[in-house]
Amino acid sequence: MEPTLDISIVIPLYNEEESLPELIAWIDRVMKSKGWNYEVIMIDDGSKDASWKIITELKTKFPSLRGFSFRRNYGKSAALNVGFEACRGQVVITMDADLQDSPEEIPALYAKIMDEGFDLISGWKKKRYDPLSKTIPTKVFNWATRKLSGIHLHDFNCGLKAYRFDVVKSIEVYGEMHRYIPVLAKWAGYTNIGEQVVQHQARKYGSSKFGLERFINGFLDLLSITFVSRFSKKPMHFFGLLGLIMFKAGGFLALWIIAQKLYITYYLDERAALVTQNPLFYLGLLSMILGTQFFLAGFVAELVSRNAPDRNKYHLKAQTDV
Ligand code: UDP
Ligand code: MG
């Protein structure tokens, strides 16, 4: 599939009725000033307010607006995924609907992708207008993500990002993985990832849709995403290795204790204590049982991944003519 427009702007939204008219008018101004062929894709993530009605009304005034409406609230990731599937621009911009990100940033992001050859540019809200209860955990979250993913970004979860067309067509954003799109892109082979400082405004209308639970869930997602990336196609390499090490360590421990007992009884000809009186013996048994469990888990996981429909899904970079 080839891009047919200069730029697509993908906007997931949930109960953002007040912001939408202002947002689209602003984007339209910026796009017109650049003379770009563009589309704005708004994905209404099951809003309970008048957001969808407003989108259908705005459509008559701004024909380059495309709207999608979910039957219920599926989350920001699902909304972004719909936008990524539908978009047709050479450069794809994602932004939040709440006017915290400014459309004025779009030309600079566009230039980074088109002129400087980046695959993905992530916005960096260097100066944030959010409460402290959000900015401090965010710092920790970004640090952990940097360490685990090896991508040097300051602000992974910034809603304002720019992508090359191929990138969004190669990744699938699911669950709550919208926080880790740069990580998904890196695994898909797009390693030229950069960042750009962007302005950030306090929310003008409405309220934030994510509470503090985002940090706990976000951390669990980070663990699973790291695990899945490393081992989902070869789970035995993780479980099998762990299982073998534990089984062997436990086995040696148990054998050693038994050997000691035999040595004392038959060689020294003395009365040895019962092996069951030694706590280490139980530790050895426990380790052997756990090791076997790990091994079996690895085996089952191997069978599962063998049956996964995308077990052999690759994205080619290029191909010669046939
Ligand atoms: N959003 C969404 N679905 C949801 C929650 C949020 O599409 O279930 C949208 C929301 O409307 C906004 C963007 O995701 O456009 C970022 O949400 P929010 O501004 O609440 O997050 P914060 O700025 O507090 O991180
Ligand atoms: Mg916001």
Side-chain angles (χ1 to χ4, degrees), residues 30-270:
V30 174
M31 294 296 121
K32 294 245 165 78
S33 75
K34 285 280 167 187
W36 282 331
N37 264 330
Y38 78 101
E39 64 181 355
V40 175
I41 302 179
M42 290 192 170
I43 304 98
D44 173 12
D45 186 9
S47 297
K48 296 190 174 59
D49 64 1
S51 293
W52 179 244
K53 191 169 154 273
I54 290 172
I55 291 174
T56 51
E57 284 164 12
L58 287 171
K59 169 83 189 165
T60 53
K61 204 166 153 211
F62 301 97
S64 45
L65 172 62
R66 297 167 70 196
F68 292 84
S69 173
F70 279 150
R71 199 166 283 283
R72 66 167 176 84
N73 179 242
Y74 281 96
K76 192 176 176 184
S77 292
L80 284 174
N81 205 55
V82 168
F84 285 172
E85 277 175 8
C87 65
R88 299 169 296 182
Q90 260 182 316
V91 171
V92 180
I93 305 278
T94 58
M95 64 191 295
D96 291 352
D98 53 4
L99 294 167
Q100 288 194 277
D101 310 319
S102 151
E104 306 287 345
E105 314 273 1
I106 295 174
L109 292 169
Y110 180 91
K112 281 232 163 194
I113 303 280
M114 293 306 286
D115 306 339
E116 292 180 39
F118 282 99
D119 295 320
L120 191 167
I121 295 291
S122 180
W124 172 16
K125 295 165 283 183
K126 203 167 179 181
K127 174 124 190 50
R128 293 181 68 120
Y129 296 89
D130 281 319
L132 266 188
S133 60
K134 190 159 146 190
T135 47
I136 293 173
T138 298
K139 282 216 160 75
V140 178
F141 158 87
N142 280 314
W143 174 83
T145 312
R146 266 199 302 279
K147 289 288 159 223
L148 274 174
S149 69
I151 304 172
H152 293 279
L153 291 181
H154 290 90
D155 189 3
F156 279 85
N157 193 17
C158 182
L160 185 56
K161 288 192 172 64
Y163 308 82
R164 188 178 290 289
F165 179 80
D166 295 345
V167 178
V168 300
K169 298 297 178 190
S170 313
I171 59 178
E172 202 175 328
V173 195
Y174 64 95
E176 295 200 9
M177 294 302 179
H178 58 267
R179 299 192 179 92
Y180 302 105
I181 300 182
V183 185
L184 297 176
K186 185 181 168 189
W187 293 330
Y190 297 96
T191 48
N192 204 352
I193 297 174
E195 69 185 344
Q196 161 119 340
V197 175
V198 294
Q199 297 292 326
H200 184 236
Q201 275 82 243
R203 218 177 214 283
K204 200 162 164 190
Y205 308 106
S207 55
S208 175
K209 309 298 182 294
F210 299 100
L212 275 180
E213 77 284 354
R214 75 167 89 196
F215 296 108
I216 299 161
N217 294 343
F219 180 68
L220 293 176
D221 280 343
L222 180 62
L223 289 186
S224 59
I225 205 169
T226 313
F227 183 81
V228 166
S229 72
R230 296 217 183 130
F231 299 111
S232 73
K233 299 249 165 81
K234 42 180 185 189
M236 203 53 168
H237 289 196
F238 175 79
F239 291 110
L241 183 70
L242 201 64
L244 275 181
I245 292 174
M246 289 190 76
F247 188 86
K248 280 195 174 167
F252 278 126
L253 194 59
L255 282 178
W256 172 250
I257 291 163
I258 293 169
Q260 252 183 341
K261 156 117 187 177
L262 294 176
Y263 175 77
I264 294 170
T265 322
Y266 294 107
Y267 194 76
L268 302 181
D269 220 4
E270 284 170 23

